[in-house]
Amino acid sequence: MSPAVTAARVAAESAAWVWYPDDADVVRNDRLVLVRWPDYFGAPPNLLRVSGSAPVDGVLDEALAQVRSWGRDELVVRVGLDAPAGLEDALAARGARVHETLDVLALDLGPGAPGGPGLAVPGDVEVRWQADEATTRDALRVAAEAFEEGAVPSDERVGELAARAAADHEAGRASTAVAYLDGRPVGSGGLTLAGAGGHDVARLWGGGVVPEARGRGVYRAVLAARIDLARTRGASMALVKGRVETSGPILRRAGFAVFGRERSHVLPA
C-alpha cells in the first residue's frame, strides 16, 4: 500500500468529510451534526455525525426531538467509520431500516501511481465543467434524475450556485463535471480539494447517471475527468463513498481500494 494511502489516513479524512449547503438548517454541537436540507433537495433531515463520547440514545432522542420540531417524520442517520460502536444496535432497537450502504474507497494519486486502470472512456461522451447557469442547471437536473430526489431550485438560487461554482473552479477549490451524450446532460459528479494540506485529498461526490444513459461509460467519463483534474491540482489521494450495488464495482475496477463501509438508516420520528 502506498504511504500516501493508509487505513488511518482514509479513516481520518472520511471522518472529517461533513458537508451541507449554506442554505441548510444545521444543529452542530459536541454531540452531533444534524442537517435539515433545503426543500429543493427533497430529502429528510440527516444526522451526519454522532460523537463517540456521547450517550447514543441521548443523542438520538435529541435529534428526533429537533426533527419533530421541524415538522418532519423521518430522520436519516449516517453510520460512518468513526461512529460509536453501539449506534447501529440502538437504531435497530428503534425500528430503523438500512437505507443505503456505501463503500469507503481511496486511490493513490501521487507520483508514480497507476493511471486509473479500467477507465476506458467512450468517445461519444463529452465532459464539461460546471461554470455558468446553463451547466449548473444541467448538473442539478442530472442529480435529481439520477438519484430520484430533489429538483432544480429557484432561478435566484441557480444563479448563486453558478457564481460559486465558477469561482471555485477558477480557484481550484472544487469542480463539478457534467457529461453529455448527443448534447443532452446525462451524468455529473463533483470534486472538492481538502485535507490537512488544504488540497491534497480529492473528495469525489455526487457521481450519478440518468437511468436511460447507464451502461454507456458515462460514469467512467465523469470519474476519469475528476481524477485527471485532481492530479493536476496536486492531490495525493482520491476519496469516494460509492454505492455497493452500482458505483462501488466500477471504482474497484478503476484501482480504488475499499477501506470500510458506511451505512445510512431511516429512523421514524
Side-chain angles (χ1 to χ4, degrees):
M1 184 182 298
S2 165
V5 182
T6 64
R9 186 184 183 204
V10 171
E13 293 295 346
S14 179
W17 187 356
V18 176
W19 178 87
Y20 41 82
D22 59 1
D23 53 347
D25 293 321
V26 182
V27 177
R28 186 167 192 153
N29 55 42
D30 60 355
R31 298 176 300 283
L32 56 78
V33 178
L34 175 65
V35 173
R36 179 172 68 171
W37 306 97
D39 289 343
Y40 62 86
F41 272 70
N46 266 221
L47 182 56
L48 295 178
R49 173 169 293 165
V50 177
S51 169
S53 61
V56 168
D57 281 311
V59 172
L60 291 176
D61 287 340
E62 178 181 353
L64 288 169
Q66 181 62 60
V67 168
R68 287 190 289 268
S69 78
W70 284 332
R72 304 301 296 270
D73 59 5
E74 283 187 335
L75 170 66
V76 176
V77 182
R78 182 178 71 88
V79 182
L81 299 184
D82 61 333
L87 180 56
E88 288 197 297
D89 288 342
L91 289 167
R94 290 170 180 251
R97 59 178 174 83
V98 175
H99 168 62
E100 184 178 61
T101 303
L102 304 174
D103 284 328
V104 179
L105 307 103
L107 176 70
D108 184 5
L109 298 179
L119 283 180
V121 177
D124 60 345
V125 181
E126 177 193 1
V127 176
R128 307 173 196 166
W129 296 106
Q130 179 186 340
D132 54 25
E133 290 196 18
T135 48
T136 297
R137 286 184 186 280
D138 288 344
L140 291 164
R141 288 188 181 115
V142 165
E145 287 187 51
F147 297 107
E148 298 181 342
E149 64 180 19
V152 177
S154 67
D155 290 347
E156 180 182 5
R157 183 59 178 163
V158 169
E160 293 170 353
L161 293 171
R164 180 169 301 172
D168 285 344
H169 182 65
E170 180 67 24
R173 292 186 294 264
S175 297
T176 295
V178 187
Y180 297 80
L181 283 171
D182 299 322
R184 180 175 182 267
V186 293
S188 65
L191 160 68
T192 300
L193 277 297
H199 64 274
D200 57 335
V201 176
R203 295 173 176 172
L204 307 182
W205 49 267
V209 179
V210 300
E212 64 269 24
R214 289 170 187 165
R216 297 186 58 180
V218 175
Y219 185 89
R220 286 183 280 120
V222 170
L223 178 61
R226 290 180 292 167
I227 289 174
D228 288 346
L229 185 59
R231 279 198 169 105
T232 299
R233 290 176 173 173
S236 61
M237 180 176 80
L239 182 65
V240 62
K241 300 175 182 182
R243 289 180 173 176
V244 296
E245 307 91 347
T246 54
S247 57
I250 300 172
L251 290 159
R252 289 194 295 273
R253 289 195 297 272
F256 282 78
V258 179
F259 287 85
R261 283 194 168 169
E262 181 177 292
R263 281 175 287 277
S264 294
H265 301 249
V266 177
L267 181 63

